[in-house]
Amino acid sequence: MKTLVLTGFMGTGKTTVGRAVALRLGRPFVDMDALIEAQAGKPIPRIFEEDGEAAFRRWEADLCQALGERQGLVIATGGGALVDPVNRAAFSSAAVLVCLNADIETIVERLGDAVDRPMLGGKSPRADAARLLRARQTAYAAIPWQVDTTGRSLDEVVERVVALAGVQTLYVTHPGGRYPIHIGQQILCYLGGALRAAGIPVEAKIAIVSNDVVAPLYAEPVRAALQESDFSPCLCVLPDGEAHKTLETVRRLYDQFLDHDLDRSGVVLALGGGVTGDIAGFAAATFMRGLPFVQVPTSLLAMTDASVGAKTGVDLPQGKNLVGAFKQPALVFVDLSVLQTLPLEELRSGWAEVLKHGIIADPGLFAMLADALDVGDLSVTPDMLARSIRVKRDIVEADPFEQGGRAVLNLGHTTGHALERLSGYTLRHGEAVAIGMVVAARIAEVMEKADDGLAEHIAHVLSAAGLP
C-alpha cells in the first residue's frame, strides 16, 4: 500500500485534508511540520529565528528520507519540503504525491495575518505569498496529481485525493530517456497536470487523435482536463477499425493537423485503442519530422500492450504493421474507468495479452488471473495491470528496437496474425492471439520444450476468459 503524500503551498489545506483523508482510508497520519517541531523541541518560527532556514531544510530532508521508506501512511508536508527534487525523489517509488493548490486570494484569506509564517515576514504578506508561490510553481508543477481546493468543500477535496490513493506509476527507460505510465481509476480529470509534469509546455497545442467510436465518449472530458491546465487542445477524428490502419488514413490525419495549425511545437495525443495509437504514433513520428507523443489508451489491449514499447505503424495489403517507426511516448496515461464502456468482447480480447504476459514471465500473475477468471471476475485493477505492464516494460527496456529478446512478446502472434489476415480482420486480435498461444504451447510440448498438459491448462484459462 503506497504512502499518500500531500504537498503544496501554505494555505492550500494540506494538514486539514490530510487528517480527513487518513481518517477516511484508516491510515496513520503524519504532519511533517508538527514532527519537526516535536524533534526540535520548539515551534518552526523559533527554528527559523534561532537556527536559520538552512537548518530547518535539513530537518525536512532527513525526514523525507526516513518517511520515504514507509508504506501505508498519509503525510502532509510543509509548503517547501518537496521543492527540492531530492526530497521528491525520496518518495517517488513508494508514494503517490498529490499537490494541493488554490488561487492567491483564497490563500491570503486562509492565512489571515500570517504572523506565524516565517517565509512571509515582510510588510505585505500577500505580496510575499505571491512572490514565493511564483518561485515554487515549477517544483509544484513537476507533480502530476494536482487538486485545486479553491471553492471546494473539504468533502469534495477528500473525494478527489482518495481517488488517487490507488494510483500506480511505472517508468520505462529507453535510449532517449524515460517516460511514466500512470494507472488509476477515475483519473482522466488529472491528465493536464500529468502532461505538465511530463515536461509538455502549456504553450503546446495538443492534437487529440481519436476515432469515431471513442471520441463521442471521451474527447470532451479529455479536452476539459487539458483546458483546466491551460493547454489548447484540438480534436482529430479517424474512422474506427483495423481496416482503416493504412497510409491513406495517416495522410488524412496530416491534413487535419494542418487544418488545426499544428506546428513543431505541437503534441499528438492518442485517445483510443491500439489501432488509434498505432496510427497517431506513426503520424507523430513523421509529421514535421517528429512531434512529442502521448498515449491515453481506452481498451485493455492497448493499455497492457500496444501503448507500451514505442512500436507504431500501419498495415499494407501484404500484411500487418509493415510500415512504421519506433516512437517513444512522453507519457502513457491509463484510466481504467473507461473500460466500463468497452464491449465485453473487446475486454476479453485484452485479457489475452494480460494472460500472455503471465505466461511469458510471471507465473504468479497467471495463477492469480486464473483464479479470478474461474469465478467469472473480469475486473481489472491498477495493481493487476501494473504487474502485466511490468513484464512488457522489462522486456522492451532490454531490447528497445526489437533486435532479439523482444521476440518473446510475440507469443501466439505467428499463428494469430495469420488468422487475423485470413479472417479479413473480423477475428479480434486477442481472440487470434489466444488461439496462437495454445498452438505455440502444443508445438512446445511436441518438441519437449514445455511440460505435458501446459497447452490444456492455458486453453482452460483462456476459455474461462471467454476466449477461443
Side-chain angles (χ1 to χ4, degrees):
M1 183 190 301
K2 287 193 172 185
T3 285
L4 193 59
V5 180
L6 303 185
T7 194
F9 198 65
M10 62 183 80
T12 55
K14 299 181 293 295
T15 300
T16 302
V17 173
R19 290 188 191 281
V21 169
L23 184 63
R24 174 78 172 273
L25 295 175
R27 297 189 189 183
F29 175 66
V30 175
D31 183 333
M32 281 183 54
D33 281 352
L35 197 54
I36 291 173
E37 288 182 333
Q39 292 173 346
K42 51 189 170 183
I44 289 174
R46 277 186 56 197
I47 297 175
F48 270 73
E49 181 182 351
E50 298 173 5
D51 306 307
E53 182 182 355
F56 176 75
R57 297 303 175 197
R58 286 194 295 272
W59 280 98
E60 280 187 327
D62 291 344
L63 195 51
C64 287
Q65 294 297 325
L67 292 174
E69 300 173 2
R70 302 277 299 277
Q71 292 282 312
L73 304 176
V74 175
I75 299 172
T77 77
L82 300 191
V83 171
D84 186 338
V86 175
N87 292 348
R88 290 200 302 274
F91 289 112
S92 62
S93 62
V96 178
L97 272 56
V98 179
C99 183
L100 303 185
N101 47 63
D103 63 39
I104 190 65
E105 299 302 331
T106 300
I107 288 171
V108 170
E109 181 182 343
R110 290 173 180 170
L111 292 178
D113 58 15
V115 293
D116 62 341
R117 303 280 180 169
M119 298 299 293
L120 305 182
K123 294 181 179 180
S124 173
R126 187 193 189 285
D128 289 343
R131 171 190 51 77
L132 189 58
L133 180 58
R134 285 194 299 271
R136 293 178 175 177
Q137 205 63 27
T138 300
Y140 291 150
I143 297 169
W145 312 112
Q146 303 278 327
V147 176
D148 194 341
T149 64
T150 306
R152 288 197 171 104
S153 69
L154 177 60
D155 287 343
E156 289 177 307
V157 175
V158 169
E159 286 292 335
R160 284 184 167 245
V161 174
V162 167
L164 296 170
V167 165
Q168 295 285 327
T169 298
L170 306 175
Y171 289 91
V172 180
T173 301
H174 57 85
R178 74 170 191 166
Y179 61 88
I181 304 172
H182 298 307
I183 309 164
Q185 294 272 12
Q186 303 290 342
I187 60 172
L188 211 53
C189 61
Y190 299 101
L191 178 59
L195 259 68
R196 294 184 68 169
I200 304 298
V202 292
E203 299 80 17
K205 176 171 282 190
I206 312 293
I208 304 168
V209 178
S210 192
N211 62 59
D212 51 17
V213 173
V214 173
L217 297 170
Y218 298 112
E220 192 50 43
V222 167
R223 189 201 303 267
L226 296 176
Q227 288 174 335
E228 188 175 334
S229 293
D230 298 325
F231 287 108
S232 299
C234 59
L235 179 62
C236 305
V237 180
L238 309 173
D240 182 46
E242 184 81 30
H244 301 286
K245 189 176 161 182
T246 64
L247 287 169
E248 176 58 24
T249 300
V250 174
R251 189 197 64 76
R252 292 199 298 269
L253 184 55
Y254 293 152
D255 290 341
Q256 293 189 65
F257 288 170
L258 293 169
D259 289 342
H260 288 294
D261 297 322
L262 202 67
D263 58 23
R264 291 180 184 274
S265 67
V267 175
V268 177
L269 185 152
L271 174 66
V275 170
T276 299
D278 278 357
I279 296 170
F282 182 59
T286 50
F287 186 75
M288 297 282 181
R289 296 187 176 88
L291 300 183
F293 178 47
V294 173
Q295 287 266 28
V296 184
T298 60
S299 72
L300 179 56
L301 183 62
M303 290 173 181
T304 192
D305 184 55
S307 65
V308 181
K311 288 167 66 175
T312 69
V314 295
D315 305 335
L316 296 180
Q318 294 90 337
K320 287 189 63 171
N321 301 320
L322 295 181
V323 176
F326 286 97
K327 179 63 177 176
Q328 301 287 354
L331 167 71
V332 178
F333 194 88
V334 178
D335 185 342
L336 292 174
S337 64
V338 304
L339 296 179
Q340 295 170 2
T341 56
L342 192 70
L344 180 58
E345 294 79 7
E346 293 294 338
L347 183 65
R348 286 171 168 161
S349 184
W351 266 86
E353 292 286 350
V354 177
L355 289 164
K356 181 196 77 175
H357 290 158
I359 295 169
I360 290 172
D362 192 341
L365 173 64
F366 186 80
M368 181 180 72
L369 299 175
D371 290 343
L373 292 170
D374 274 343
V375 295
D377 184 3
L378 282 170
S379 61
V380 182
T381 67
D383 288 346
M384 175 196 302
L385 187 62
R387 192 162 169 177
S388 172
I389 291 174
R390 196 173 285 114
V391 170
K392 181 164 186 179
R393 187 272 309 271
D394 292 347
I395 292 169
V396 300
E397 282 187 344
D399 184 16
F401 299 115
E402 205 168 24
Q403 299 299 304
R406 190 163 168 165
V408 298
L409 290 169
N410 292 333
L411 174 65
H413 286 58
T414 306
T415 300
H417 281 174
L419 292 173
E420 283 183 273
R421 183 178 172 193
L422 289 170
S423 73
Y425 299 107
T426 58
L427 190 66
R428 288 178 175 82
H429 178 73
E431 295 168 341
V433 169
I435 296 170
M437 285 193 291
V438 176
V439 170
R442 287 176 177 166
I443 293 171
E445 287 184 26
V446 170
M447 297 177 68
E448 298 184 349
K449 293 180 178 292
D451 294 338
D452 290 341
L454 177 64
E456 183 178 349
H457 179 47
I458 292 173
H460 169 78
V461 176
L462 293 169
S463 295
L467 289 161

